[in-house]
Amino acid sequence: MKKLRILLTTALLIVLSSPGVHTASAAGSTAAPCPGDSPATAQAARAAAEPVTVWLAGDSTMANPSARCPVGWGSQFAALFNSEVTVKNQAVGGRSIQTWLYDPNVTSAKGADGECVVNPSTFSVRWQAMLNASTGMKAGDYLFIQFGINDSSSTCPRHVGRARYQQLMTMMAQAALSRGAHPVVLTPVAAITCSGGTATQNRGFVPETLAAGAATGAPVIDLQALSVSLYNSLRFCPNNGDYGSGPVGAFFCNDHTHFETYGAQRIAGLVAGDVRRQNLPLATHLK
């Protein structure tokens, strides 16, 4: 009997040490895919283990804070991912898509086409850095693009027409694709405005964002619709004009447009939730 137990133990050790046998990895490590895993499962396992940089381009509703308020949702985005993801937030307050791309060369004059004159037509330092072949966007990275808050201004340098907006967003998405990165375009996040007891959408450039996504194959996150739905679920309306206290005050700055930290966290959660809902490969890195 003792000899039989020894023989069985030896046989088991030989099987376990044989090539092709999949065993559990050490605690806390990422297990390699089994040879029998489907291609999709194996690809997801590899993607979850590869470092990814998520680049953010946008305005103050996305930007890192310089004071207690406003807090852009982009500043809260990294906390939703595992350690394989690095978020580089290049959003800047007060920018339209054009001034973000061409600072400081967008003038206060309008041309014959009704658009702000860009002179010289040199890209901003921030966009040039993202396009840098060595240190900018690389294959497998993501570029999230969200503007449309300041672009509706009637005066330059912020003013951007609808066709120009679509053109520039499409150009940015194509630049990411040309580097093997994944663009994601977002409609502008809503401020809180009420029609009686219902929060309503209040931003433009939604059709243009959808069109830019369709033209490039980039996923579209309709953050305006998602944010309005959230405001309604939180019963922010009706509102008597007091944006500095109560649940609305905990979510928004006094201007009812920008976010306190809590509001920024909830908006970042909406974006991450739609990444998961659309089953983007980036979702494998979400906590």
Side-chain angles (χ1 to χ4, degrees), residues 33-280:
C34 297
D37 285 344
S38 69
T41 301
Q43 183 178 11
R46 287 192 298 271
E50 294 176 359
V52 174
T53 299
V54 177
W55 303 82
L56 304 181
D59 52 43
S60 57
T61 61
M62 180 193 269
N64 291 333
S66 57
R68 184 187 64 81
C69 203
V71 179
W73 66 261
S75 67
Q76 308 299 309
F77 206 40
L80 303 177
F81 293 94
N82 63 26
S83 60
E84 299 298 332
V85 170
T86 299
V87 175
K88 293 191 176 182
N89 191 358
Q90 302 300 313
V92 183
R95 299 313 192 268
S96 66
I97 191 170
Q98 184 160 257
T99 54
W100 189 94
L101 279 166
Y102 291 100
D103 269 345
N105 302 321
V106 184
T107 72
S108 58
K110 282 187 180 179
D113 59 357
E115 296 295 341
C116 303
V117 174
V118 180
N119 186 32
S121 56
T122 304
F123 288 135
S124 65
V125 170
R126 68 182 71 91
W127 184 230
Q128 290 186 51
M130 290 170 70
L131 297 178
N132 186 284
S134 300
T135 57
M137 291 183 289
K138 66 181 186 304
D141 284 354
Y142 282 78
L143 171 62
F144 282 65
I145 310 166
Q146 182 225 276
F147 292 94
I149 306 295
N150 303 300
D151 311 65
S152 59
S153 173
S154 61
T155 60
C156 294
R158 288 184 173 183
H159 167 78
V160 180
R162 288 177 295 181
R164 177 67 168 162
Y165 185 94
Q166 180 178 327
Q167 175 195 8
L168 294 177
M169 182 168 277
T170 300
M171 178 195 73
M172 292 180 73
Q174 288 173 336
L177 289 169
S178 70
R179 286 156 176 76
H182 308 288
V184 179
V185 297
L186 297 87
T187 60
V189 63
I192 177 64
T193 58
C194 298
S195 176
T198 305
T200 60
Q201 298 193 29
N202 44 55
R203 301 295 189 194
F205 302 103
V206 172
E208 292 72 30
T209 303
L210 297 174
T216 58
V220 179
I221 295 178
D222 191 354
L223 189 53
Q224 179 156 194
L226 290 170
S227 56
V228 168
S229 179
L230 175 64
Y231 305 160
N232 279 316
S233 72
L234 295 174
R235 304 190 180 206
F236 283 167
C237 297
N239 184 273
N240 62 4
D242 178 11
Y243 298 103
S245 62
V248 173
F251 198 102
F252 289 96
C253 304
N254 289 342
D255 60 6
H256 75 276
T257 295
H258 296 98
F259 308 114
E260 298 275 357
T261 300
Y262 170 70
Q265 290 170 343
R266 294 299 302 267
I267 299 299
L270 292 179
V271 177
D274 214 50
V275 167
R276 196 186 298 277
R277 182 190 67 81
Q278 296 193 46
N279 200 28
L280 305 186

